[in-house]
Amino acid sequence: MKKIAITLFLMIISLTTQAQEGLTWHTDLSKAIEISRQEQKPLFLFFTGSDWCGWCMRLQNEVFKTPEFISWAKEHAVLVELDYPRRTPQTDAIKAQNSQMQQMFQVQGYPTVWFVKPTVKEGKTNFEQLGSTGYVAGGPSKWIEGANEIVSRYVAEPKAEAPAKVAPKAKAKPKKAKKS
């Protein structure tokens, strides 16, 4: 019971912090994929050790929590946090999802940010890798400059167009036989 209360408390704090920042950091990859495809934006996969990784905390404070980044992120990406904490509890489903993504993208150090384009074919999700980055010194403008270069590789799916209406063909008038 104590673990459940602590988990709920941490989730509420996390949601409050996210709301204050004006950004939504998704932890459910499936939901983020749906949003990415609807909004025609790449996924921004942030691999972090939120409660122990100094460089991750530094990237968050120097870049991700700035008004400049918040404005940029709302327009350019769907944010996903893939966390590997040491002290913060997580559900088994989130742990399994994050572990699978870490292996898929061969992440060996934190922080790592991957920009990807998700595609779903025959029920399987594939990720087109657009590029990756991590901590970049120089604040939000320097970080966003590099991110813009990566995001520029994203090509939106063509929107399905409604079939054009074809005008009915005019009926040909029967030709009158010529009298000879």
Side-chain angles (χ1 to χ4, degrees):
M1 186 67 179
K2 189 176 179 181
K3 286 184 181 181
I4 293 172
I6 291 171
T7 303
L8 288 173
F9 177 74
L10 291 173
M11 287 174 60
I12 290 169
I13 288 175
S14 174
L15 291 173
T16 303
T17 302
Q18 290 172 4
Q20 289 172 351
E21 295 173 0
L23 290 177
T24 300
W25 285 91
H26 299 278
T27 56
D28 180 345
L29 187 60
S30 297
K31 185 175 180 181
I33 289 168
E34 284 179 37
I35 295 167
S36 169
R37 296 185 72 222
Q38 287 172 355
E39 296 183 4
Q40 295 287 307
K41 295 178 185 176
L43 286 176
F44 176 111
L45 304 176
F46 177 43
F47 294 85
T48 182
S50 66
D51 64 5
W52 61 269
C53 171
W55 289 104
C56 300
M57 292 175 209
R58 193 168 177 180
L59 179 58
Q60 290 233 13
N61 291 329
E62 291 180 15
V63 178
F64 298 170
K65 292 182 179 180
T66 65
E68 189 176 357
F69 175 82
I70 292 168
S71 176
W72 177 89
K74 285 179 180 179
E75 186 178 333
H76 292 92
V78 176
L79 307 175
V80 180
E81 182 183 68
L82 300 162
D83 195 9
Y84 305 86
R86 292 186 179 160
R87 296 178 298 277
T88 306
Q90 289 181 311
T91 65
D92 289 339
I94 293 293
K95 286 180 187 178
Q97 168 197 272
N98 294 359
S99 177
Q100 181 182 15
M101 295 302 290
Q102 180 184 26
Q103 290 173 15
M104 183 183 298
F105 288 94
Q106 300 177 354
V107 174
Q108 297 179 4
Y110 305 104
T112 297
V113 175
W114 270 99
F115 291 91
V116 299
K117 177 182 178 180
T119 55
V120 179
K121 290 183 182 177
E122 298 175 10
K124 289 184 102 180
T125 302
N126 294 305
F127 297 99
E128 177 186 337
Q129 298 178 355
L130 305 172
S132 68
T133 187
Y135 176 82
V136 176
S141 58
K142 187 73 174 169
W143 197 92
I144 290 170
E145 181 182 316
N148 278 335
E149 186 178 317
I150 296 169
V151 170
S152 71
R153 299 176 193 140
Y154 180 86
V155 177
E157 294 293 324
K159 293 193 178 193
E161 294 182 25
K165 290 188 177 181
V166 178
K169 293 183 181 181
K171 292 185 180 180
K173 294 182 182 178
K175 292 183 182 181
K176 293 184 181 178
K178 290 185 181 181
K179 294 182 185 178
S180 17

